[in-house]
Amino acid sequence: MAGILERYRNFYDFPADFPIISLNEGNTPLIPAPKISAEVSRLSGQPDVQVFLKFEGLNPTGSFKDRGMTYAVSKAVADGHTHIICASTGNTSAAAAAYGARAGLKTLIILPGGKVALGKLSQAIMYGAAIVEIDGNFDQALDIVRALGETGKVCVVNSINPYRLQGQKTGAFELCDVLGDAPDDLYIPVGNAGNISAYWMGFKEYADKGISSKRPRMCGYQAAGAAPIVHGHKIEKPETLATAIRIGNPASWQLAEAARDDSGGRIDCVTDPQIVAAYQFLASREGVLCEPSSAASVAGLFKAASLSQVQANSTIVCVLTGNGLKDPDSAIEYGNPQRAQLPADSDQVAAFFGL
Amino acid sequence: MAGILERYRNFYDFPADFPIISLNEGNTPLIPAPKISAEVSRLSGQPDVQVFLKFEGLNPTGSFKDRGMTYAVSKAVADGHTHIICASTGNTSAAAAAYGARAGLKTLIILPGGKVALGKLSQAIMYGAAIVEIDGNFDQALDIVRALGETGKVCVVNSINPYRLQGQKTGAFELCDVLGDAPDDLYIPVGNAGNISAYWMGFKEYADKGISSKRPRMCGYQAAGAAPIVHGHKIEKPETLATAIRIGNPASWQLAEAARDDSGGRIDCVTDPQIVAAYQFLASREGVLCEPSSAASVAGLFKAASLSQVQANSTIVCVLTGNGLKDPDSAIEYGNPQRAQLPADSDQVAAFFGL
């Protein structure tokens, strides 16, 4: 299946000769989550809640960022740029480096110090980007990107580039296409706040065109230590193990608040232990391994269920933004295996397994 | 989109009440590879070669193994098993642990010592499997699994379980569905030799039913240090950096030879440096990060092009069996980045990037 710009061409106004740079992103699975559904019903006391997981970790570079990057990089090529640049907690840089490589552009990446998951760093390296790790956080990295962007020598592909959100809105389209209508509620992690804004844009477009009959409540979840929208002010030193949403001054702050208010939704926060519990539940009960930050959506749903914010007979989608393989260290830290090293002897192995 | 057993239900004879355990596997992208196509034309002197990448790394657990595991685990549930077991270089264990978790079964895993990629190990841990790492290689691990399977207490889900290959044949179906016919040549890594056998089964079924007009040449590639089929004898101590195909006594040896001979294809080998070169080409030129073993297919195609084994005007598919995120250490080792640590200062960052 073609990538999102070809599949949803009618929702864009680029010219016929637009140079589409695509890795056949999108078309990610919507996986039923029977065990999460049961848990939500148990916590909320509401029957017949149907939960689905939009597993964006199965995009070509392992996160939802690919949907926006195909458009941003295509536009950079169309405009004659030779260099693209971004600040990143890891997923944006992986996507930029991959699409940049495919387009034959030079990709420049600025990472915050010390908190980028191993898999994401390995991607930027292997795709051939130039990488600077700064002694500072994501927000400082983005400030530098903005400054370098103003020189006109590089094309900024962070989500302040409007083509990013325009691409990401296709996540909402796909949900509606598969479900036959919009869900009742969308649960989604909030970091830089671009994705919740983009999904809302997509849901509005589908409803305005009559393709869907309704618009979902947008329920965004920040990490408790990095929750500027919840608290109503910037967080100077955001802290959370959910590194992909460790952002104290979201670029799409106003758009996210508008999505929340227009949809009758909410933006709330979940603690690191709640995120880890959801991350473990997803892997060990549903068989879906996302990155810790992605589990903020499911952690938020569990919290909402406990607070009686979930309605009976509702269809709920949780967006899982990134692939758990991006963060093997967290999986090893938070997994709880029965594990041993043994000689190659079937009796000893059988004994260990209790067979 | 539903998983492979529902989508291709007509190609199976399971009953209507069969308990399908699925993560919506399959439906992976077929990505055009313009730069590989040009390189193959350059090496071979043959014009108009069109190469596509079947990126199986975008299955739910990051490898093609999910296609077979959905069927094997569903059958285990149907048969009333409570435990599944496998030997694995990593990908099979990840798939078994995920589908086992989803089905509520206990998953037992035996890994060869010291050569399982970090991401794969992290998966088995996070999905909640019981894991034994033996002091021995894959072939010894499989021997133990066979022995424990004979007790009747556990269901073996290695590819000696016939449902595995039956599921994996859908990779061939999807290729034909997207291309409109079978390709001329299929290039595929060969380790335990189940996948080449399964693809051939799928291509034959589609041709027999008249859905495709032809059957491709099956071109399988082993790693030079683990090439028992090429050499015609078991390899006692297989060695290659391509850990997923580090196998000296393939379970599906005869089936793979039959696929080769019936299709007019070949099984050859590629060296570790050839595998690394293809792995780097894929990431830095096409923007596709697979695991090193997967790149054996593209390394094989480059070798074949150099040996005049590629024909003009042919459509070629290279199967990329696993996601590069499964092996971050290899990406960091073989990537070649321009990289620095700097203060959060835009002038210094600009200077490093040459802006």
Side-chain angles (χ1 to χ4, degrees), chain B residues 3-247:
Chain B
I4 58 117
L5 292 180
E6 282 187 51
R7 285 165 53 217
Y8 294 107
R9 187 158 202 140
N10 293 340
F11 294 85
Y12 297 103
D13 59 1
F14 52 77
D17 63 349
F18 192 64
I20 294 178
I21 308 298
S22 173
L23 287 163
N24 296 24
E25 59 292 319
N27 191 30
T28 55
L30 187 68
I31 305 175
K35 288 163 184 166
I36 292 172
S37 301
E39 181 71 1
V40 169
S41 284
R42 188 184 71 79
L43 290 168
S44 66
Q46 300 293 345
D48 298 325
V49 178
Q50 266 206 304
V51 180
F52 294 88
L53 307 169
K54 180 65 170 166
F55 192 15
E56 288 289 280
L58 300 189
N59 275 296
T61 80
S63 87
F64 72 98
K65 305 281 186 177
D66 294 344
R67 294 179 186 276
M69 204 56 76
T70 181
Y71 202 3
V73 172
S74 298
K75 188 69 171 69
V77 171
D79 291 349
H81 283 287
T82 56
H83 291 63
I84 57 176
I85 192 169
C86 65
S88 177
T89 59
N91 282 330
T92 300
S93 63
Y99 286 82
R102 194 161 172 88
L105 305 179
K106 185 75 192 168
T107 304
L108 312 177
I109 289 169
I110 306 179
L111 303 175
K115 297 264 182 163
V116 170
L118 178 69
K120 303 177 189 183
L121 181 63
S122 79
Q123 290 181 288
I125 288 173
M126 196 68 201
Y127 293 129
I131 304 165
V132 168
E133 191 178 320
I134 61 162
D135 181 18
N137 62 26
F138 171 81
D139 304 293
Q140 292 170 289
L142 187 56
D143 287 342
I144 296 174
V145 163
R146 289 181 199 264
L148 298 184
E150 283 169 11
T151 66
K153 296 176 185 168
V154 292
C155 176
V156 175
V157 296
N158 275 105
S159 60
I160 52 179
N161 177 324
Y163 298 95
R164 286 277 311 282
L165 299 200
Q166 280 294 329
Q168 287 173 209
K169 73 184 178 186
T170 58
F173 295 168
E174 290 183 7
L175 290 187
C176 298
D177 291 347
V178 171
L179 292 173
D181 202 346
D184 296 302
D185 298 334
L186 186 88
Y187 282 76
I188 188 166
V190 174
N192 213 20
N195 210 27
I196 188 172
S197 307
Y199 268 83
W200 180 237
M201 192 187 306
F203 285 126
K204 281 196 298 184
E205 280 190 40
Y206 253 38
D208 289 350
K209 289 182 195 269
I211 302 170
S212 57
S213 76
K214 60 188 177 188
R215 307 187 298 189
R217 278 177 294 275
M218 302 296 290
C219 306
Y221 283 82
Q222 302 195 293
I229 301 177
V230 176
H231 296 306
H233 58 77
K234 289 185 204 178
I235 306 295
E236 287 300 325
K237 295 195 174 170
E239 283 302 338
T240 169
L241 62 84
T243 52
I245 55 174
R246 182 169 164 264
I247 293 174

Side-chain angles (χ1 to χ4, degrees), chain A residues 24 27 30 32 35 58 101-102 126 130-135 279 284 286 289 338-342 352, chain B residues 24 27 30 32 35 59 101-102 121 126 130-135 279 284 286 289 338-342 352:
Chain A
N24 296 24
N27 191 29
L30 187 67
K35 287 163 185 165
L58 300 189
R102 193 160 173 90
M126 195 69 200
I131 303 165
V132 168
E133 191 179 320
I134 60 162
D135 181 18
Y279 172 60
S284 65
E286 297 287 7
L289 180 56
Q338 182 190 357
R339 191 173 166 198
Q341 292 189 319
L342 295 175
F352 175 77
Chain B
N24 296 24
N27 191 30
L30 187 68
K35 288 163 184 166
N59 275 296
R102 194 161 172 88
L121 181 63
M126 196 68 201
I131 304 165
V132 168
E133 191 178 320
I134 61 162
D135 181 18
Y279 172 59
S284 64
E286 297 287 7
L289 180 57
Q338 182 189 355
R339 190 174 166 197
Q341 291 188 320
L342 295 175
F352 175 77

